[in-house]
Amino acid sequence: QVQLVESGGGLVQAGGSLRLSCAASGRTFSNYGMGWFRQAPGKEREFVAAISRSGAYYADSVKGRFTISRDNAKNTVYLQMNSLKPEDTAVYYCAATPLAGVTGTTALYTYWGQGTQVTVSS
């Protein structure tokens, strides 16, 4: 069982930056692939970024602006978001998958956090 708690969301102007954190419980955190997803009002949840032992993977919409990283000693995964745009506004969710490789497929993630709101003003 893995429990995930996101933090770091907030209101920021376009062009600004935020860093999201996701703290995970459990002693096997390093065995899980971790991902960030987001859901805007009226839209489906979409993949943002993922990281595992095999590397990192990004959605085209955030590539070059967002960076995912993890600190296995702290059981935490981060999402550094730079050059934010109004279209990045959404609830951001952290998720964990037992798969060894990186994946952007929502259905392959077993555990989810409660989400943190990110609002980017124009």
Side-chain angles (χ1 to χ4, degrees), residues 62-99:
V62 306
K63 201 172 294 183
R65 300 189 297 122
F66 291 11
T67 302
I68 188 171
S69 62
R70 67 190 298 166
D71 185 337
N72 289 335
K74 295 183 178 180
N75 279 14
T76 302
V77 62
Y78 304 97
L79 185 68
Q80 178 67 44
M81 305 186 294
N82 298 329
S83 302
L84 283 161
K85 305 174 181 180
E87 51 263 44
D88 294 318
T89 295
V91 177
Y92 283 71
Y93 297 90
C94 172
T97 174
L99 297 179

Side-chain angles (χ1 to χ4, degrees), residues 18-79:
L18 281 175
R19 189 176 81 154
L20 305 183
S21 299
C22 174
S25 66
R27 292 176 288 180
T28 58
F29 173 75
S30 60
N31 293 340
Y32 286 84
M34 300 298 296
W36 286 97
F37 294 77
R38 66 187 181 187
Q39 188 166 17
K43 295 187 177 181
E44 292 188 352
R45 191 170 298 188
E46 66 174 4
F47 168 73
V48 175
I51 188 168
S52 73
R53 294 177 180 178
S54 60
Y57 172 53
Y58 298 91
D60 288 342
S61 59
V62 306
K63 201 172 294 183
R65 300 189 297 122
F66 291 11
T67 302
I68 188 171
S69 62
R70 67 190 298 166
D71 185 337
N72 289 335
K74 295 183 178 180
N75 279 14
T76 302
V77 62
Y78 304 97
L79 185 68

